[in-house]
Amino acid sequence: MCRNIRVLHNFEPPATDGEVHEAALQYVRKISGAARPSKANEEAFARAVAEITASTRTLLDELVTTAPPKDREVEAEKKRALARERYGR
């Protein structure tokens, strides 16, 4: 899985449409092997991003959990602490 794609489920506040779109874009970039599509592939690339964005939003809206929502800032700080430990920053 692409390291730039983050977990979007069960956060407070919920994932924004922009975050869902960015995850879809990263996914399409990864599986297509292209950061930017050629002119010939531009339409297919954009369509794939739109379809994956819609599917992801549907999935996130339908997932059910009994776990309490995670706080974005707390989770981000955990990742920063892990990075400091791992990379000495």
Side-chain angles (χ1 to χ4, degrees), residues 4-51:
N4 293 332
I5 297 175
R6 304 286 181 226
V7 173
L8 298 176
H9 175 60
N10 199 29
F11 277 98
E12 192 58 47
T16 65
D17 289 339
E19 290 172 316
V20 173
H21 176 79
E22 288 299 314
L25 181 59
Q26 284 293 344
Y27 176 76
V28 172
R29 285 176 174 166
K30 184 71 170 187
I31 62 169
S32 70
R36 298 173 121 192
S38 66
K39 288 284 186 193
N41 295 324
E42 210 167 60
E43 189 177 318
F45 194 91
R47 187 174 44 254
V49 171
E51 289 173 2

Side-chain angles (χ1 to χ4, degrees), residues 38-87:
S38 66
K39 288 284 186 193
N41 295 324
E42 210 167 60
E43 189 177 318
F45 194 91
R47 187 174 44 254
V49 171
E51 289 173 2
I52 293 168
T53 298
S55 294
T56 302
R57 174 50 67 195
T58 299
L59 173 65
L60 291 174
D61 290 346
E62 292 178 0
L63 286 175
V64 178
T65 184
T66 57
K70 296 178 238 167
D71 183 283
R72 288 179 183 279
E73 285 304 312
V74 170
E75 295 301 315
E77 183 51 42
K78 286 180 188 177
K79 289 183 191 238
R80 285 189 291 266
L82 183 62
R84 282 191 299 271
E85 182 179 311
R86 177 181 274 165
Y87 303 114

